[in-house]
């Protein structure tokens, strides 16, 4: 049995039923995993409802972790250490791979928090973005205490929620500024395009559809063609045309420098 098959048939405990936790539970369940979703309060579990592959909704963290091969912690950064302490006895008993989806805790911190309960911790940082809720997340992955095969197995697991990329931990900040914070940047572009469309007489709903449709089409085109973005820019701009006029006006207003400055600021601590 391959590693992929082993993990697809193993229980995965998802700790936390917020937006990311619920998205992870649904995605992993769709991929064939047996998912147990834990939350300390019942309200979010009741709001979650039912989903393929999600076999347990529980407020008992020990039940969620019983026999689990992977524990995916989906809570805010300052809550990760208390949750790991809460998981302590179960970690010592079952020794799952511990995955944190919080942005702040480093591999060194995660290892230090898990080590009192598991002397040889296997820890992973997976940083998804909110598009996991629709199966289109960009997941950043790095690990400690695992070999390359195990790390790739984790990537395959989380590919159920989108695309996963293994990157060095020291590059998590810059990558996060593009993949996670970048969601907000794109949303601001959509809002600006809508406002321009409304000013020009378009219905707001139609302006939104046109802007998001253009984004989706552009992403698909880039994936399919594999070219540098500027190559495709050249294919849609004609001499003296409207597109190049618009692009040059945005550049005069500082479009590219503003994007670069924003991403650099978002990657700083």
């Amino acid at each position: 049995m391959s590693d992929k098959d082993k993990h697809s048939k193993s229980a995965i405990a998802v700790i936390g039923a917020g937006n990311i936790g619920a998205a992870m539970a649904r995605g992993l369940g769709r991929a064939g995993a047996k998912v147990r979703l834990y939350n300390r309060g019942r309200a979010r579990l009741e709001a979650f409802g039912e989903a393929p592959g999600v076999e347990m909704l529980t407020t008992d963290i020990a039940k969620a972790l019983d026999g689990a091969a992977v524990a995916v912690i989906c809570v805010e950064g300052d809550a990760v250490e208390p949750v790991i302490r809460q998981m302590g006895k179960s970690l010592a008993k079952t020794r799952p791979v511990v995955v944190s989806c919080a942005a702040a805790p480093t591999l060194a911190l995660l290892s230090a928090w898990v080590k009192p309960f598991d002397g040889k911790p296997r820890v992973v940082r997976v940083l998804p973005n909110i598009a996991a809720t629709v199966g289109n997340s960009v997941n950043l992955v790095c690990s400690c205490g695992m070999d390359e095969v195990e790390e790739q197995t984790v990537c395959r697991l989380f590919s159920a929620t989108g695309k996963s990329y293994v990157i060095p931990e020291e590059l998590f900040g810059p990558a996060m500024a593009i993949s996670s914070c970048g969601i907000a940047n794109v949303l601001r572009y959509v809002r600006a395009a809508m406002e321009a469309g409304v000013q020009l007489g378009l219905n707001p709903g139609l302006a939104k559809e046109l802007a998001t449709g253009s984004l989706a089409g552009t992403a698909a085109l880039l994936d399919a063609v594999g070219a540098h973005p500027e190559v495709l820019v050249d294919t849609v701009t004609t001499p003296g045309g409207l597109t190049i006029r618009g692009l040059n006006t945005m550049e005069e207003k500082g479009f590219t420098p503003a994007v670069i400055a924003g991403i650099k600021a978002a990657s700083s601590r």
Side-chain angles (χ1 to χ4, degrees), residues 171-211:
L171 294 179
F172 248 51
M176 179 178 67
I178 296 173
S179 67
S180 297
C181 305
I183 291 279
N185 300 342
V186 174
L187 290 172
R188 278 290 174 89
Y189 166 77
V190 171
R191 187 187 75 175
M194 287 175 63
E195 289 178 353
V198 171
Q199 186 174 348
L200 293 169
L202 293 176
N203 176 280
L206 176 59
K208 176 184 173 184
E209 292 294 325
L210 295 176

Side-chain angles (χ1 to χ4, degrees), residues 205-232:
L206 176 59
K208 176 184 173 184
E209 292 294 325
L210 295 176
T212 57
S214 295
L215 287 174
T218 302
L221 186 61
L222 280 168
D223 281 346
V225 176
H228 189 282
E230 201 62 31
V231 173
L232 295 180

Side-chain angles (χ1 to χ4, degrees), residues 124-140:
V124 184
R125 289 179 70 185
V126 173
L127 189 62
N129 62 35
I130 198 170
T133 58
V134 291
N136 281 296
S137 179
V138 174
N139 303 314
L140 310 178

